Amino acid sequence: MNAYKNAQRGAFASIPMIIGGVPFGLLFGSLAAANDLSIWFAIAMSSIVFAGSAQFVALGLIAADAPLWVIILTTFVVNLRHILYAADMLRFVRHLPLRLRLLMGFGLIDETYAAVRPMYDMGSANKADGHQVYIGSFLSFYLMWNVTTVLGALAGELIPGISDWGLEFAMVATFIGIVTPYLKSVPYWGAFGVAIIASVTLKEMPNHLGLILATLLAVLVGYCLDRYSEVDKKRGAANV
Amino acid sequence: MSNLELALIILGMFIVTYGIRVVLFAGAHRAEIPEWLDKALKFVPISVLTAIIAPMSLTNSEGLALSLLNPWFVGALTSLLIGLVFKRQLLTICVGVLVFFLMKLFVGG
């Protein structure tokens, strides 16, 4: 398969999340306009920073007249989860040339990680073509994010209440479609269960800290169960 | 806010956001990940994706919302069951989304 086909596969796998992101791009653009920020500021945010939830948080902080360092520190905390994605993706990118890795780092967002990372596990991406799938996913999302930001800034009130339609459910369903193939062994079920309980319990923590903690906890439990079942297997083999 | 302040906000946010995303990738060719960490990181996709959507599916502004009248809960549950039984991603997404919007239409919420 050629590079274009692979990029197309990445874009295709991201469609539900792109649809889910549309209301947020529109909302971001219109909120920026509602806060008397210029359309150029909104465009610069979406095209240079390119970080969905951190952009919304920053709008809130700007409206609250927060100082620069608070905005930057909060952005740091909100985006901290991406370092986990990078660590997990390392094994698939380390052989690539630096300029490709620098580009891929820019596009390491929730949606692209969610769409592409499991494809390596399910066999539809590999070290040879995975980066093309990845770039296809992130460029299509990037395009949508910037187009909807502009549209939102120009005509935020055009589709009133679109953020209440529940288009984000497309993302929920997609993530479930990505998660279920993993649910084949006890460690993965363990991580799944802990992630649910911990994320719901810690929901009220600010700046996605609950999300980060719940993720770390679930990873830890999955890892421990994995270790335990390996030791168990070895012991079983020794007894034969 | 002045234009300079706004430009600094963009610049600062770009540096921390891109920095977090790229720092490991940039040094990837020499980074050595210990085996135990490599094994643990395999649980990141299922953990983070579940942790993102569980609060959306199981709670609302008032707390736990495990009601059969909650479109988010029922839609997510449907997706999960379809995914586990049929193991087809597109089917999982489509049926879940359909159930969600039908419920929203009839039940509201």
Side-chain angles (χ1 to χ4, degrees), chain A residues 16 37 41 44-45 48-51 54 58 62 66 68 71-72 75-76 79 82-83 85-91 93-94 98 101-102 105-106 108-109 113-114 117 164-166 168-169 171-180 182-183 187-189 191-192 195-196 199-200 203 211 215 218-219 222-223 230, chain B residues 1 5-10 12-14 16-18 20-33 36-61 63-64 71-72 75-77 79-80 83-84 89-90 92-93 96-97 100-101 104 109:
Chain A
L37 295 161
F41 180 76
M45 272 277 214
I48 299 172
V49 181
F50 187 44
I62 291 171
L68 179 66
I71 297 176
I72 293 173
T75 303
F76 179 80
N79 287 332
H82 293 149
I83 203 135
Y85 302 169
D88 185 36
M89 287 291 294
L90 265 189
R91 68 193 94 194
V93 306
R94 59 164 22 124
L98 181 64
R101 281 183 273 133
L102 294 181
F106 183 73
L108 189 59
I109 54 172
Y113 176 77
R117 171 60 183 84
D164 299 329
W165 287 8
E168 315 95 281
F169 188 82
M171 187 179 85
V172 173
T174 309
F175 282 14
I176 293 173
I178 291 169
V179 161
T180 43
Y182 283 100
L183 295 174
Y188 283 102
W189 275 105
F192 179 69
I196 292 178
S199 65
V200 168
K203 178 188 157 189
L211 169 63
T215 302
V219 168
Y223 173 70
E230 257 175 41
Chain B
M1 278 205 185
E5 277 177 292
L6 291 173
L8 284 177
I9 289 176
I10 302 263
M13 286 182 69
F14 167 73
V16 291
T17 302
Y18 186 53
I20 288 170
R21 289 174 182 169
V22 89
V23 63
L24 292 180
F25 278 13
H29 51 292
R30 42 197 162 79
E32 273 304 327
I33 295 243
W36 66 268
L37 186 58
D38 206 50
K39 280 189 172 159
L41 286 170
K42 271 188 267 179
F43 290 95
V44 170
I46 189 164
S47 301
V48 72
L49 299 181
T50 307
I52 289 175
I53 59 172
M56 299 169 78
S57 311
L58 306 178
T59 65
N60 58 23
S61 49
L64 271 186
W72 291 85
L77 200 62
S79 286
L80 183 66
L84 287 174
Q89 199 191 14
L90 206 57
T92 305
I93 298 170
V97 168
F100 172 81
F101 281 109
K104 235 176 134 55

Side-chain angles (χ1 to χ4, degrees), chain A residues 104-206:
Chain A
M104 288 171 79
F106 183 73
L108 189 59
I109 54 172
D110 296 313
E111 288 79 2
T112 290
Y113 176 77
V116 178
R117 171 60 183 84
M119 292 172 78
Y120 287 100
D121 284 337
M122 307 305 157
S124 43
N126 55 48
K127 279 187 178 175
D129 67 15
H131 61 286
Q132 296 162 349
V133 178
Y134 180 105
I135 289 168
S137 163
F138 119 66
L139 281 184
S140 55
F141 200 89
Y142 187 74
L143 183 69
M144 177 284 290
W145 189 243
N146 281 282
V147 168
T148 51
T149 296
V150 174
L151 290 179
L154 289 177
E157 307 302 310
L158 206 61
I159 317 174
I162 188 171
S163 58
D164 299 329
W165 287 8
L167 289 176
E168 315 95 281
F169 188 82
M171 187 179 85
V172 173
T174 309
F175 282 14
I176 293 173
I178 291 169
V179 161
T180 43
Y182 283 100
L183 295 174
K184 279 185 298 206
S185 64
V186 174
Y188 283 102
W189 275 105
F192 179 69
V194 170
I196 292 178
I197 294 167
S199 65
V200 168
T201 314
L202 304 173
K203 178 188 157 189
E204 300 300 332
M205 290 183 76

Side-chain angles (χ1 to χ4, degrees), chain A residues 13-30:
Chain A
S14 313
I15 287 176
M17 286 171 265
I18 290 174
I19 295 172
V22 165
F24 291 98
L26 292 172
L27 191 64
F28 176 75
S30 57

